[in-house]
């Protein structure tokens, strides 16, 4: 019940008019003169029925589960009074099986609410499935309502948000329901919109899909928390791939020094530190919106702002598996990098990676093939790319973390940076196997490679940067790179290592 109390408070802040006032609601005399009273009454009756969804009993059942209704979710997500609804009176036309032909199973709206509105003043199309009506099942009319707003969104270059709460395809409609799914999937592909289905927890719910499968990007305690965070997330993104990312005014100075960074990386390279601390120190107002925080924790991805400008951030996480890159981290990183590149969001990378995760499970699972996805994503990305090597950058994993050879625009090394084929102990044990003075050889190796000079001398980094200067320099670089234009040879499509 605590979640429902929170729901009611949040909804009170976002109370809206259910839909735009119509002529008949306004009581227009001219309209009334050509419309008979029974018809007007029927319209009002159907409108009220649509607003109630499956009825008060089913709404109460939804609330007992700690869940909001389809319309309550819309009210909470959108700016107050901005929702414009489409197809409120649409009904399914299945009349030959499963009892759907009975009037008790005829609900205006056909178990989904669709339309458009605004989030922080920016336009958005959306659909919200109504579980109180036939379990939110997808039939042909339900699907056509969704397809209509998706088509309009493609024409206008505005995002679509889907609030999914459905039991799946509507069984009595048979192949018509499958056709509806097919039409939605086709538009998903055309618009590159993710369409993920999360089942009941015992079949694979939020915990499974945010920690193991990677299907879902984030889980929340309740509907209210999820929708308020969705509003926050939406504000980081451009409306389309042709729209610039929003720039939000900030009081955090672009030239702010970060002296705490000078001591954040331990002198002992075997000790861990939290890369999230580095990221939050550098970005505007310590505001970092992490994506997939519970999946592949050895790599961190998410959105932040630098001097008000949206950036995508990728960073190895030394606190988990020493920051090694494994199969899941490769896929997570590659997908995020490609998302940023698709929507013209600059990519900022923080590196501390000792290598690829060893072991038969990784080798047999195809770590080489999957690791190539992240290398490919960095190489293909044409947005501004800035990389900061904070500490280790060893072996093949150095190659997949946005280095100069992968066309990074700017690469910095901190004084603690180490760029080498591998760590000193492993290298010496291979090169001088069986020889004496192993410790001495390790010291010599570290003096030669465990510092940023080898890459600086060769021009593989643009500067050895005092950590406290990191924010200042990155903000300057982003201003310089905001007009970057990079063309590539024409081809039908690339051959991503799937």
């Amino acid at each position: 019940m605590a979640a429902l109390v929170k729901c009611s408070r949040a909804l009170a802040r976002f109370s809206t008019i259910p839909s735009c006032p119509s002529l008949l609601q306004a009581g227009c005399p001219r309209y009334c003169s050509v419309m008979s009273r029974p018809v007007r009454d029927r319209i009002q009756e159907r409108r009220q029925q649509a607003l109630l969804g499956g009825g008060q009993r089913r709404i109460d059942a939804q609330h007992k589960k700690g869940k909001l209704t389809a319309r309550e979710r819309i009210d909470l997500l959108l700016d107050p009074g901005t929702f414009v609804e489409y197809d409120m009176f649409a009904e399914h036309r299945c009349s030959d099986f499963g009892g759907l032909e009975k009037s008790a199973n005829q609900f205006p709206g056909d178990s989904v609410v669709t339309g458009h509105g605004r989030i922080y003043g920016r336009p958005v199309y959306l659909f919200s499935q109504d579980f109180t009506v036939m379990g939110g099942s997808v039939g042909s009319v339900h699907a056509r309502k969704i397809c209509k707003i998706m088509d309009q969104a493609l024409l206008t270059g505005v995002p679509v948000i889907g609030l999914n709460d459905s039991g799946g395809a509507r069984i009595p409609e048979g192949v018509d329901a499958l056709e509806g799914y097919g039409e939605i999937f086709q538009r998903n592909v055309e618009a590159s919109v993710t369409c993920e289905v999360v089942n009941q927890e015992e079949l694979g719910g939020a915990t499974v899909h945010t920690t193991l499968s990677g299907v879902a990007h984030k889980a929340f305690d309740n509907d209210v928390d999820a929708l308020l965070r969705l509003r926050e997330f939406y504000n980081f993104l451009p409306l389309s791939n042709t729209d610039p990312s929003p720039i939000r005014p900030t009081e955090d100075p672009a030239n702010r020094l970060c002296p705490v960074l000078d001591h954040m990386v331990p002198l002992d390279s075997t000790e861990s530190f939290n890369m999230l601390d580095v990221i939050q120190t550098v970005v505007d107002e310590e505001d970092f919106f992490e994506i997939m925080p519970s999946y592949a924790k050895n790599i961190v991805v998410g959105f932040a702002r630098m001097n008000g400008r949206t950036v995508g951030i990728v960073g190895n996480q030394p606190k988990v598996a020493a920051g090694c890159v494994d199969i899941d981290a490769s896929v997570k990183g590659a997908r995020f990098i490609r998302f940023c590149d698709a929507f013209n969001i600059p990519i900022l990378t923080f590196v501390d990676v000792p290598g690829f995760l060893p072991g038969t499970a990784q080798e047999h699972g195809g770590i080489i093939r999957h690791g190539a996805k992240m290398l490919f994503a960095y190489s293909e990305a044409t947005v501004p790319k800035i990389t900061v090597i904070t500490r280790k950058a060893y072996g093949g994993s150095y190659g997949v973390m946005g280095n100069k050879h992968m066309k990074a625009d700017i690469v910095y090394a901190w004084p603690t940076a180490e760029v080498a084929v591998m760590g000193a102990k492993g290298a010496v044990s291979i090169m001088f196997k069986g020889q004496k003075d192993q410790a001495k050889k390790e010291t010599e190796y570290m003096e030669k490679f465990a510092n940023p000079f080898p890459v600086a001398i060769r021009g593989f980094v643009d500067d050895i940067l005092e950590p406290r200067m990191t924010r200042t320099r990155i903000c300057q670089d982003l201003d310089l790179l905001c007009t970057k234009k990079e063309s590539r040879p024409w081809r039908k499509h690339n051959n991503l290592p799937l």
Side-chain angles (χ1 to χ4, degrees):
M1 291 307 294
L4 288 179
V5 171
K6 189 176 180 183
C7 292
S8 63
R9 290 173 180 167
L11 286 171
R13 292 174 48 235
F14 287 90
S15 58
T16 67
I17 300 171
S19 59
C20 288
S22 65
L23 287 172
L24 62 89
Q25 288 173 317
C28 174
R30 182 178 177 186
Y31 186 85
C32 295
S33 65
V34 295
M35 178 70 71
S36 66
R37 173 68 60 178
V39 173
R40 291 179 59 217
D41 290 345
R42 285 173 56 198
I43 293 173
Q44 285 288 63
E45 180 184 338
R46 297 298 280 174
R47 188 182 300 278
Q48 291 303 315
Q49 186 179 353
L51 294 176
L52 274 175
Q56 193 60 51
R57 180 176 60 84
R58 291 177 181 172
I59 291 174
D60 292 342
Q62 184 85 339
H63 287 167
K64 286 181 181 178
K65 298 176 184 176
K67 297 165 63 177
L68 300 179
T69 66
R71 293 183 181 276
E72 287 170 342
R73 288 168 177 156
I74 291 174
D75 288 345
L76 185 57
L77 177 63
L78 298 182
D79 295 345
T82 63
F83 181 52
V84 177
E85 184 170 356
Y86 292 163
D87 297 323
M88 176 184 273
F89 301 104
E91 295 180 356
H92 72 76
R93 294 186 289 276
C94 182
S95 60
D96 57 358
F97 190 73
L100 293 186
E101 71 282 359
K102 297 178 181 178
S103 60
N105 288 321
Q106 290 283 356
F107 297 90
D110 199 32
S111 72
V112 64
V113 183
T114 62
H116 63 81
R118 292 185 176 270
I119 297 177
Y120 288 108
R122 304 169 69 225
V124 62
Y125 286 89
L126 78 165
F127 65 87
S128 183
Q129 292 175 320
D130 190 350
F131 196 83
T132 70
V133 178
M134 294 182 285
S137 59
V138 178
S140 58
V141 174
H142 178 119
R144 287 189 188 115
K145 288 181 63 174
I146 295 174
C147 289
K148 177 188 283 189
I149 64 162
M150 295 180 80
D151 289 341
Q152 288 197 7
L154 282 170
L155 290 173
T156 57
V158 173
V160 176
I161 292 178
L163 304 177
N164 294 301
D165 191 2
S166 170
R170 190 171 299 161
I171 297 173
E173 291 202 24
V175 71
D176 288 334
L178 300 181
E179 177 218 7
Y181 264 119
E183 293 288 342
I184 294 173
F185 290 157
Q186 175 63 29
R187 286 160 176 81
N188 286 336
V189 173
E190 291 175 0
S192 292
V193 176
T194 314
C195 182
E196 311 286 12
V197 178
V198 179
N199 299 317
Q200 295 289 338
E201 189 65 39
E202 60 269 20
L203 297 178
T207 301
V208 170
H209 287 313
T210 55
T211 62
L212 298 177
S213 71
V215 169
H217 288 69
K218 214 161 187 175
F220 302 92
D221 293 334
N222 53 65
D223 288 5
V224 174
D225 190 24
L227 292 167
L228 293 179
R229 292 287 280 167
L230 178 56
R231 282 176 59 86
E232 180 183 342
F233 169 66
Y234 188 79
N235 216 22
F236 281 103
L237 304 180
L239 296 179
S240 71
N241 63 338
T242 61
D243 186 58
S245 297
I247 298 178
R248 188 180 73 176
T250 178
E251 295 182 0
D252 195 347
N255 61 352
R256 169 171 59 83
L257 298 180
C258 307
V260 68
L261 294 179
D262 292 344
H263 311 287
M264 194 162 285
V265 177
L267 294 177
D268 184 349
S269 62
T270 63
E271 291 185 20
S272 67
F273 66 97
N274 193 341
M275 191 62 80
L276 287 173
D277 292 338
V278 174
I279 294 169
Q280 290 171 339
T281 300
V282 169
V283 302
D284 289 359
E285 300 156 4
E286 299 186 352
D287 183 17
F288 177 56
F289 192 99
E290 189 175 357
I291 301 295
M292 304 183 81
S294 301
Y295 179 77
K297 294 181 179 181
N298 43 327
I299 196 167
V300 174
V301 301
F303 296 100
R305 295 181 179 87
M306 297 293 291
N307 198 22
R309 190 191 312 273
T310 296
V311 294
I313 295 181
V314 180
N316 307 112
Q317 177 54 286
K319 287 180 67 68
V320 180
C324 284
V325 175
D326 62 3
I327 291 172
D328 291 344
S330 299
V331 175
K332 174 180 172 179
R335 185 176 182 187
F336 181 78
I337 292 162
R338 288 174 68 82
F339 180 93
C340 290
D341 189 50
F343 291 99
N344 302 308
I345 297 173
I347 300 168
L348 176 57
T349 305
F350 292 94
V351 180
D352 183 8
V353 60
F356 287 103
L357 188 66
T360 55
Q362 292 292 307
E363 290 294 336
H364 297 174
I367 182 59
I368 296 175
R369 172 170 55 88
H370 291 292
K373 294 177 181 178
M374 196 150 66
L375 182 151
F376 195 95
Y378 269 119
S379 182
E380 281 284 296
T382 59
V383 295
K385 294 177 286 188
I386 300 173
T387 298
V388 179
I389 304 173
T390 64
R391 192 166 61 175
K392 299 173 185 174
Y394 289 167
S397 59
Y398 161 72
V400 303
M401 289 303 299
N403 57 46
K404 204 73 172 176
H405 323 297
M406 296 294 103
K407 296 189 176 181
D409 298 291
I410 304 290
V411 179
Y412 294 119
W414 283 1
T416 47
E418 308 172 14
V419 183
V421 174
M422 61 195 310
K425 192 174 186 67
V428 168
S429 67
I430 293 173
M431 292 189 294
F432 303 100
K433 184 177 181 179
Q435 297 186 22
K436 299 179 180 179
D437 298 328
Q438 294 278 311
K440 181 180 178 181
K441 295 294 184 183
E442 287 180 22
T443 301
E444 292 175 359
Y445 184 94
M446 291 177 67
E447 289 176 353
K448 184 173 181 61
F449 296 110
N451 61 76
F453 288 114
V455 284
I457 290 170
R458 292 164 175 79
F460 298 161
V461 299
D462 296 290
D463 197 1
I464 301 174
L465 192 65
E466 288 297 323
R468 66 174 57 206
M469 294 295 298
T470 303
R471 172 178 168 82
T472 300
R473 292 290 288 273
I474 290 174
C475 287
Q476 291 174 353
D477 294 333
L478 289 171
D479 286 342
L480 184 66
L481 293 168
C482 68
T483 56
K484 175 185 176 182
K485 290 183 174 61
E486 182 178 343
S487 60
R488 299 288 176 90
W490 182 90
R491 56 186 170 184
K492 184 177 180 181
H493 58 74
N494 61 44
N495 192 17
L496 175 69
L498 297 172

